[in-house]
């Protein structure tokens, strides 16, 4: 079996499987390697394990979470229409909305974004009118905001009756301290969070 694996997948893979098989057998049946295994695992933690990319894979292509996000936006692209709002840039509005979008705004918290048409902090008092947008695209924003309920309530307030919020948050993702990343959601937990303002029957979740 190991010879067949070596022939098909390379001898390094075959030797690795043989190593793990022998080691697993010794540890389970005799505990022989436990005194070695325990400090080895502590040593790995001490030196630390690093992700392959600190750019979520942007340096190697499309990050996997963006791949699934774009599938989601394609599925609901017909909802990107009329007066639309997106955070930081309008890449998804333009890409998936096309001619259905009659007006687009870009929201940013700081004044350093030259593309921003609206500068406001949704956790504070702001001048954004209620019932203004037909569609709001909010991708990977809530995970860096402390008062999530406040922002969701503002997004609800800003939507026109019948408007649609297309929103994405991380469930499993790399943690980067300088990004001030705060939250992760399960599908059920995020559904409950949105239901406080939008009502459970009005929410569709893709995980």
């Amino acid at each position: 079996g190991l010879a067949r694996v070596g022939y098909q997948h390379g001898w390094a893979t075959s030797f690795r499987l043989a190593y793990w098989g022998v080691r697993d057998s010794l540890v389970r049946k005799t505990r022989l390697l436990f005194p070695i295994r325990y400090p080895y695992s502590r040593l790995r933690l001490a030196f630390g394990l690093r992700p392959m990319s600190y750019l979520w894979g942007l340096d190697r292509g499309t990050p996997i979470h963006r791949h699934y996000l774009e599938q989601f936006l394609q599925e609901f692209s017909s909802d990107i229409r009329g007066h639309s709002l997106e955070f930081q840039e309008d890449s998804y509005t333009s890409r998936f909305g096309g001619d259905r979008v009659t007006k687009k705004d870009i929201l940013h918290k700081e004044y350093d974004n030259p593309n921003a048409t609206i500068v406001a902090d949704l956790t504070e008092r702001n001048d954004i009118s209620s019932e203004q947008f037909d569609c709001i695209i909010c991708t990977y924003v809530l995970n860096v905001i402390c008062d999530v309920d406040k922002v969701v309530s503002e997004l609800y307030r800003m939507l026109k009756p019948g408007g649609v919020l297309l929103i994405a948050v991380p469930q499993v993702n790399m943690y980067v301290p300088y990004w001030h990343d705060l939250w992760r959601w399960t599908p059920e937990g995020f559904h409950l969070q949105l239901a406080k303002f939008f009502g459970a029957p009005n929410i569709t979740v893709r995980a």
Side-chain angles (χ1 to χ4, degrees), residues 86-206:
E86 191 171 348
F87 286 69
Q88 191 172 354
E89 59 185 4
D90 70 336
S91 57
Y92 290 136
T93 303
S94 300
R95 178 176 172 185
F96 294 99
D99 296 336
R100 291 184 303 274
V101 177
T102 57
K103 182 180 179 181
K104 53 190 176 184
D105 277 304
I106 299 172
L107 174 66
H108 200 78
K109 182 182 176 183
E110 310 292 345
Y111 284 94
D112 59 355
N113 185 346
N115 297 317
T117 59
I118 300 174
V119 178
D121 184 347
L122 297 186
T123 64
E124 306 290 344
R125 292 176 61 89
N126 59 74
D127 298 326
I128 303 176
S129 302
S130 299
E131 301 183 359
Q132 182 176 176
F133 301 103
D134 297 291
C135 178
I136 299 175
I137 300 177
C138 178
T139 58
Y140 303 105
V141 173
L142 293 189
N143 52 299
V144 296
I145 293 176
C146 183
D147 194 349
V148 175
D149 280 349
K150 172 63 175 173
V151 174
V152 175
S153 70
E154 282 293 284
L155 294 172
Y156 179 79
R157 178 185 68 80
M158 291 154 54
L159 277 175
K160 294 179 180 178
V164 175
L165 170 65
L166 298 174
I167 189 165
V169 295
Q171 179 181 6
V172 177
N173 203 0
M174 177 177 66
Y175 170 67
V176 183
Y178 63 78
W179 200 252
H180 307 297
D181 209 353
L182 302 176
W183 312 111
R184 297 289 182 269
W185 285 267
T186 63
E188 184 178 5
F190 195 52
H191 190 282
L192 289 172
Q193 184 122 44
L194 295 176
K196 297 176 185 177
F197 305 96
F198 288 86
N202 300 317
I203 300 167
T204 300
V205 175
R206 296 284 186 268

Side-chain angles (χ1 to χ4, degrees), residues 39-54:
Y40 171 69
S41 62
R42 292 296 176 204
L43 212 57
R44 289 190 69 187
L45 286 174
F47 282 104
L49 299 176
R50 298 182 178 181
M52 293 176 64
S53 169
Y54 278 105

